[in-house]
Amino acid sequence: MKSSSNIPELVKIQEAVINEYMEMKEKTSMQNIVFFLDSFIREHEEIIRSAKAGLLKGTSGKPAIKHLEVTGHLNEQEKIDVNSLQSVLLHICKKEEAAMNQIKVIADPGKTVAPYLEWQERIHEEADNLYHRFIETAAL
C-alpha cells in the first residue's frame, strides 16, 4: 500500500504548509502564536509520517467537531501580521483550506490519498473553529 503516485504530491503539499508555518514562527515574538503554529505543524508532520509509512490512517484520531465555516467569507490580508493572533489564525484557516483544495485535486476516491483528504478537512475545520473561538467570540 506504500506505493502510490499521489503520495509524493501529498507530502509536497504538507511540506509546503510546514515550511510556511516555520517561517512565520521565526518572525513572531508571540508565544501564543508559536503555540498555534506548532500545533498545526505537528498535524502536517503526522500526515507525512503516516503517508510515507503507508499507514492509511485517515484522520487525526480526534473526535469530529461541527465545522462552523466562519472564515469562508473573510478575505485574508495580503501582508500577514505575525504578531497578531487574528491575522495568523485567519491565515492558518486560509492556508488549510488551500491545502485541502490541493489534496482534492490529487485525491483518488477509495485509494491511498483519499483518507488524507478527510484528515486535511479536519485540520481545516479545527483552524476555522479556533478562529471563531478566539477571535469572533472574544469580540462579543
Side-chain angles (χ1 to χ4, degrees):
M1 285 294 222
K2 206 174 181 179
S3 63
S4 171
S5 60
N6 292 343
I7 293 294
E9 292 175 70
L10 172 70
V11 169
K12 190 175 178 179
I13 292 166
Q14 300 302 311
E15 287 174 340
V17 174
I18 291 170
N19 290 338
E20 185 168 330
Y21 291 169
M22 293 296 280
E23 287 176 19
M24 292 172 68
K25 262 181 63 171
E26 291 173 9
K27 293 177 184 173
T28 188
S29 61
M30 307 297 287
Q31 283 301 53
N32 59 345
I33 291 173
V34 170
F35 171 80
F36 286 112
L37 291 169
D38 279 340
S39 173
F40 284 91
I41 288 169
R42 281 191 301 274
E43 284 287 337
H44 291 284
E45 289 172 339
E46 184 60 29
I47 288 175
I48 290 171
R49 275 191 293 281
S50 178
K52 284 183 173 180
L55 305 172
L56 295 178
K57 177 183 163 190
T59 67
S60 61
K62 295 179 181 174
I65 54 176
K66 182 177 186 213
H67 188 187
L68 301 176
E69 299 181 39
V70 296
T71 60
H73 66 289
L74 298 175
N75 292 323
E76 185 179 5
Q77 303 167 1
E78 286 186 33
K79 180 108 170 94
I80 302 156
D81 181 355
V82 294
N83 291 311
S84 163
L85 184 59
Q86 179 175 357
S87 179
V88 170
L89 286 178
L90 180 58
H91 180 71
I92 289 172
C93 289
K94 297 301 182 180
K95 190 68 181 177
E96 296 302 335
E97 182 177 26
M100 180 182 68
N101 290 334
Q102 287 179 300
I103 295 171
K104 282 180 182 178
V105 170
I106 65 165
D108 43 359
K111 296 185 181 163
T112 54
V113 175
Y116 296 103
L117 175 57
E118 179 187 335
W119 193 342
Q120 182 63 52
E121 287 171 342
R122 287 268 177 95
I123 295 171
H124 175 248
E125 290 168 1
E126 184 176 335
D128 207 42
N129 289 347
L130 282 171
Y131 182 88
H132 175 71
R133 191 172 331 139
F134 286 100
I135 305 305
E136 291 190 353
T137 57
L140 297 177

